[in-house]
C-alpha cells in the first residue's frame, strides 16, 4: 500500500489521499490475484439509478396480470381443489383462455423480466460514459456493466 501511495504522490495532479477510479479498475484484477489467489475473468458493476418516479403503467399492468392469475386459480379443476365442481357453462372465463408470456409470468411472480431495470432516463450518463471509456459494456438492458479482464 505504501508503494501505491508513493506512486500516486509522484504523479502530477494527484494528492496522497486521492486514488483515481480508472486506476482502481486497472489494478483490481492484480490485487484480487495477489490477495485472494484467484484470477478474475470479468469485472461487473451495477450503477445506482438517479432519482426517478416509477412507471404507473407498469403497476396497472401488474394488477391486470394479477387479476388474470386469480381467475386462472379460481377456475382450477375440481381435482386440484376441495370444492365441488360447478355446473358447466357456455361462458368462457378470460383467465382460462389467456396465455401468459414468459415476461408476464416473471412479472406476476415479482422476478426479473426484460425491461424491469430502471428506465433509460434514470441512467447517470456521466457514470456510464466513464465506465464505457474504461472498457465496460452494458448487458442487454439490465443496466449491469461488465468488462472482461486478462492478466498479462
Amino acid at each position: 500500500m505504501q508503494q501505491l501511495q508513493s506512486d500516486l504522490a509522484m504523479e502530477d495532479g494527484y494528492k496522497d489521499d486521492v486514488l483515481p477510479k480508472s486506476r482502481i479498475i486497472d489494478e483490481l484484477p492484480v490485487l484480487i490475484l495477489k490477495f485472494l489467489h484467484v484470477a478474475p475473468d470479468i469485472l461487473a458493476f451495477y450503477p445506482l439509478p438517479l432519482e426517478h418516479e416509477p412507471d404507473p403503467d407498469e403497476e396497472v399492468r401488474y394488477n391486470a396480470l394479477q387479476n388474470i392469475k386469480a381467475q386462472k386459480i379460481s377456475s382450477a379443476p375440481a381435482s386440484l381443489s376441495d370444492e365441488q365442481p360447478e355446473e358447466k357453462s357456455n361462458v368462457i372465463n378470460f383467465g382460462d383462455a389467456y396465455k401468459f408470456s414468459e415476461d408476464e409470468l416473471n412479472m406476476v411472480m415479482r422476478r426479473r423480466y426484460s425491461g424491469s431495470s430502471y428506465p433509460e432516463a434514470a441512467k447517470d450518463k456521466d457514470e456510464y460514459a466513464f465506465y464505457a471509456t474504461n472498457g465496460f459494456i452494458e448487458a442487454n438492458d439490465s443496466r449491469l456493466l461488465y468488462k472482461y479482464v486478462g492478466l498479462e
Side-chain angles (χ1 to χ4, degrees):
M1 192 63 168
Q2 290 289 345
Q3 179 63 34
L4 184 61
Q5 287 179 345
S6 64
D7 288 348
L8 285 175
M10 289 184 226
E11 291 181 21
D12 293 334
Y14 293 110
K15 297 178 184 176
D16 287 338
D17 61 342
V18 176
L19 189 62
K21 286 190 332 185
S22 57
R23 174 120 187 240
I24 293 171
I25 290 170
D26 292 339
E27 297 290 333
L28 191 58
V30 176
L31 292 172
I32 291 172
L33 180 62
K34 185 172 185 167
F35 294 122
L36 301 176
H37 309 291
V38 176
D41 292 325
I42 192 169
L43 294 178
F45 179 68
Y46 185 78
L48 292 175
L50 300 173
E51 287 202 26
H52 68 285
E53 292 294 321
D55 187 8
D57 293 336
E58 285 295 311
E59 193 61 31
V60 170
R61 182 176 175 215
Y62 172 76
N63 290 333
L65 291 172
Q66 286 291 345
N67 290 335
I68 294 170
K69 179 188 77 168
Q71 287 178 5
K72 279 188 174 288
I73 291 172
S74 68
S75 66
S79 62
L80 297 178
S81 64
D82 296 334
E83 299 175 14
Q84 295 294 331
E86 295 181 17
E87 296 178 16
K88 296 282 184 183
S89 171
N90 290 339
V91 178
I92 297 174
N93 188 353
F94 180 72
D96 291 337
Y98 190 80
K99 302 291 184 205
F100 286 102
S101 70
E102 187 174 339
D103 277 347
E104 289 173 336
L105 283 173
N106 288 334
M107 179 185 250
V108 167
M109 292 187 285
R110 290 289 192 193
R111 294 191 296 193
R112 280 193 55 83
Y113 55 93
S114 57
S116 65
S117 295
Y118 54 86
E120 184 77 23
K123 274 185 171 181
D124 185 349
K125 304 293 185 206
D126 295 334
E127 187 91 7
Y128 274 79
F130 168 77
Y131 282 99
T133 58
N134 282 286
F136 282 78
I137 304 166
E138 184 177 356
N140 295 329
D141 63 349
S142 67
R143 308 299 181 245
L144 177 71
L145 302 173
Y146 70 94
K147 172 185 178 178
Y148 290 107
V149 293
L151 299 173
E152 287 85 31

